Amino acid sequence: MNSKSKYLYIGIFLSGLLLSESVNADKLNIDTLLINGQVYTGTSDQPQALDIAICGSEICGLFPSQNNQITAKNIIDATGKIVSPGFIDPHTHTLAELYSKDKNHNLNYLTQGVTTVVNGNDGEGPVDIVNTAKKLEANGIGTNVALLVGHGSIREQVMGRAQRFASKAELNEMSTLLSTAMQAGALGLSTGLYYVPGSFANTEEVVTLAKVASKYNGIYDTHLRDESTFNIGFIAALEEAINIAKMADIHLHLAHIKALGVDVWGQSKMAIEKIETAQAKGVSISADQYPWLASGTKLHSAVMPKWVMADSQHAFFERLNDKSLAQQLYSEIKENIRRRGGPESLLITAFKDTELVGLNLAQIAHKRAIDPVSASIQLVQEGEVRVASFNMSEADVENFMRQPWVVTSSDGTNGHPRKYASFAQKYQKYVQEKSILTLAQFINQSSSKTADILNIKDRGKLQEGFKADIIIFEASKFKANANFATWNKYSSGIDYVFVNGELVISESNYLNKLAGKFVR
């Protein structure tokens, strides 16, 4: 059996994916028909020979290829190309662009094949989901967007950046805000327990709020309290997250899973064992991951002790310049720099002084004739500094990537190529070059599995009645062009992109259409 016949046979055999026999395709008002492609439905492990019909915003049929009976207003011939569900990125920081008038197309994601992005991760983002969704849709957005509710945002709204546990009254107020957000369509609760002010919360506070999200079938998405040895340690932080999920009876989703820093390299094996043991006992757990060896964050988050940043920026800067704290600060900052691989591993990726962008902390310290700790203290007071922190081992990245419960994400931030190229990078390096994943695994873990984790019911699969978020690309041409020297270059190779049934990229050209919607 040749490959063409094989695909046709598979397409006919899997009748559950096809239109019911009672439906006459000729009577459908088909806007666009995608023909002759190698179709990955988001759940299949092999390509299928199917033609896909789009009616309005939805997929209205899948038919065996070479069915010449079907007519449509527009036909796209995908011969020799992959047809896939649009990818879903469960961890982005794209609200600033989506609110803007010049980058709200989210083209850096569309050119990666991403048609839906999630915001509100790491405990951040808006608390008022209703007004946020209204503003985004009124503004026009290039991708669909879904929202998590940030624990840090709720906490700051109720009690500022106070370095203490919440009172019962404050917890009640936070619970009310979260309930309102969940009713408005939020996906769940996110925490950034490594970051201020989330780092000041105890486990009980998070459990109380996770129980609220659970009532609405939401998820618990968390940036762990520690991915290294900054406070309680990576494995202990993972255990805390699992215990929260158990006590709140909620699905646990581990944001950008990693073993960060030389102290915890090799702990991916132990982490996977703990997760799988918990899963075997009935705890629902998943994770996402970006395919880079460098993480990205703000310099103050990377190396400054959390206690220094409490209360306000004014208080933060006062402590940095308090001579009575100088010895303690120096010691703790020096140790945090060591944990991240030393000053050479901290690359400045975004800063108002553009002459320093592209230099590492060691180089800046040398340039200023001071030590790296003193350079850090100076820099964080001069403006927001973003850094790429080269602190992961390839073996750990690959161990996590092989797990069927780990999906693709970007955690995209300015200065880091992950914002422009994570999905293309994962495909190019780990599917094509290293064969860590098959093409089907990569697609499924970038689409349907992500939708299932987030409880998004009508996206992520090529299935009748689902929203027509569809991409078409040539396997040999999909590639990342961004790197740490030039972080903001669009990926290439995505030929066609449909968002809610509307063609927004055609023959690799953006059509200036804003077809995205708020996803509840």
Side-chain angles (χ1 to χ4, degrees):
M1 182 183 294
N2 62 35
S3 60
K4 189 173 182 181
S5 300
K6 176 183 177 183
Y7 293 155
L8 181 59
Y9 173 78
I10 294 171
I12 295 171
F13 179 74
L14 295 173
S15 58
L17 293 172
L18 306 181
L19 270 178
S20 167
E21 293 179 4
S22 63
V23 176
N24 188 334
D26 291 332
K27 293 181 180 179
L28 288 172
N29 187 19
I30 298 174
D31 293 306
T32 302
L33 187 67
L34 312 179
I35 64 171
N36 300 328
Q38 297 178 35
V39 175
Y40 289 81
T41 63
T43 57
S44 56
D45 59 7
Q46 294 292 331
Q48 301 176 41
L50 299 172
D51 293 343
I52 301 171
I54 300 172
C55 302
S57 64
E58 295 185 354
I59 297 170
C60 53
L62 293 95
F63 311 93
S65 290
Q66 301 179 348
N67 186 338
N68 297 322
Q69 306 284 319
I70 305 170
T71 60
K73 296 172 187 173
N74 300 296
I75 295 177
I76 294 177
D77 191 338
T79 298
K81 296 180 179 180
I82 307 299
V83 182
S84 159
F87 300 147
I88 300 172
D89 191 332
H91 192 126
T92 77
H93 299 277
T94 55
L95 278 183
E97 286 84 4
L98 292 173
Y99 277 137
S100 72
K101 286 295 184 185
D102 59 340
K103 293 184 178 179
N104 56 337
H105 46 59
N106 231 8
L107 193 54
N108 54 301
Y109 280 96
L110 290 174
T111 51
Q112 295 181 65
V114 175
T115 54
T116 300
V117 298
V118 176
N119 279 276
N121 306 81
D122 295 334
E124 300 176 346
V127 177
D128 188 339
I129 301 299
V130 171
N131 282 331
T132 302
K134 282 181 180 177
K135 286 178 184 177
L136 289 170
E137 289 197 336
N139 191 41
I141 48 178
T143 59
N144 303 308
V145 61
L147 297 169
L148 293 158
V149 187
H151 161 247
S153 298
I154 292 175
R155 193 177 214 269
E156 190 159 0
Q157 184 167 321
V158 172
M159 54 186 295
R161 299 170 77 82
Q163 188 178 0
R164 60 175 175 80
F165 298 156
S167 68
K168 185 176 180 181
E170 288 165 337
L171 258 180
N172 288 339
E173 189 176 348
M174 285 191 269
S175 296
T176 299
L177 288 170
L178 179 56
S179 290
T180 300
M182 293 302 301
Q183 290 167 16
L187 299 177
L189 172 72
S190 83
T191 59
L193 299 182
Y194 172 76
Y195 298 113
V196 173
S199 58
F200 301 144
N202 58 11
T203 303
E204 290 72 25
E205 177 179 322
V206 181
V207 170
T208 298
L209 294 174
K211 285 179 177 178
V212 175
S214 180
K215 289 179 184 176
Y216 298 93
N217 200 32
I219 69 168
Y220 173 57
D221 175 282
T222 182
H223 179 130
L224 293 172
R225 196 178 292 274
D226 197 352
E227 297 172 325
S228 185
T229 57
F230 287 99
N231 46 77
I232 64 174
F234 175 37
I235 298 301
L238 178 59
E239 289 171 342
E240 179 191 34
I242 292 170
N243 286 332
I244 289 168
K246 282 182 187 175
M247 290 185 281
D249 190 22
I250 195 169
H251 175 83
L252 168 62
H253 184 72
L254 302 163
H256 43 53
I257 193 167
K258 65 175 82 72
L260 186 154
V262 293
D263 293 349
V264 294
W265 283 359
Q267 288 189 14
S268 58
K269 185 172 183 241
M270 187 187 306
I272 290 165
E273 289 172 354
K274 283 200 173 289
I275 290 166
E276 292 183 339
T277 297
Q279 289 171 330
K281 293 179 179 178
V283 184
S284 183
I285 306 174
S286 59
D288 64 68
Q289 177 195 44
Y290 51 79
W292 307 91
L293 299 183
S295 61
T297 190
K298 295 172 185 175
L299 180 61
H300 65 262
S301 296
V303 303
M304 295 292 150
K306 297 298 178 280
W307 59 267
V308 185
M309 296 182 279
D311 303 317
S312 66
Q313 186 179 72
H314 177 73
F316 173 30
F317 289 174
E318 275 197 337
R319 293 184 187 107
L320 288 180
N321 296 292
D322 186 337
K323 291 182 179 179
S324 70
L325 298 174
Q327 186 174 351
Q328 181 183 358
L329 270 171
Y330 190 93
S331 175
E332 292 187 28
I333 294 169
K334 183 179 180 180
E335 176 63 4
N336 286 343
I337 291 172
R338 182 202 67 78
R339 287 183 173 107
R340 288 186 176 269
E344 296 82 7
S345 73
L346 290 163
L347 177 73
I348 308 302
T349 58
F351 186 46
K352 66 180 182 180
D353 184 351
T354 55
E355 289 186 3
L356 299 184
V357 174
L359 300 181
N360 62 44
L361 184 60
Q363 291 170 322
I364 292 172
H366 179 75
K367 186 181 179 76
R368 295 187 174 190
I370 54 178
D371 62 88
V373 173
S374 300
S376 299
I377 292 172
Q378 282 186 3
L379 285 168
V380 298
Q381 295 179 82
E382 293 170 10
E384 185 175 289
V385 188
R386 293 208 67 90
V387 293
S389 179
F390 291 82
N391 49 34
M392 284 175 269
S393 80
E394 187 74 65
D396 286 325
V397 170
E398 292 181 7
N399 281 348
F400 285 127
M401 190 174 291
R402 288 187 177 95
Q403 307 311 312
W405 38 267
V406 174
V407 299
T408 316
S409 69
S410 69
D411 189 18
T413 49
N414 287 343
H416 197 303
R418 64 190 183 179
K419 186 169 182 175
Y420 278 70
S422 285
F423 287 75
Q425 168 79 357
K426 183 172 179 178
Y427 169 76
Q428 187 178 352
K429 182 173 181 179
Y430 295 102
V431 176
Q432 286 199 314
E433 295 176 13
K434 303 191 80 169
S435 299
I436 300 298
L437 298 173
T438 67
L439 175 56
Q441 287 172 326
F442 164 70
I443 289 174
N444 297 353
Q445 289 169 223
S446 301
S447 56
S448 68
K449 287 194 174 185
T450 312
D452 289 343
I453 288 165
L454 300 174
N455 290 320
I456 296 174
K457 303 300 183 186
D458 58 353
R459 299 180 194 272
K461 300 175 188 175
L462 300 183
Q463 183 174 317
E464 184 188 347
F466 273 51
K467 296 297 182 184
D469 296 341
I470 303 172
I471 61 173
I472 301 174
F473 63 95
E474 194 167 336
S476 62
K477 294 183 178 179
F478 183 32
K479 67 175 185 176
N481 297 312
N483 54 44
F484 287 97
T486 311
W487 64 273
N488 55 354
K489 292 187 73 172
Y490 293 127
S491 297
S492 56
I494 299 290
D495 296 316
Y496 296 89
V497 177
F498 289 85
V499 178
N500 294 305
E502 189 165 351
L503 185 63
V504 298
I505 289 180
S506 178
E507 297 180 343
S508 299
N509 296 310
Y510 177 56
L511 302 180
N512 294 307
K513 292 182 178 179
L514 301 172
K517 298 292 182 185
F518 171 61
V519 177
R520 294 176 62 86

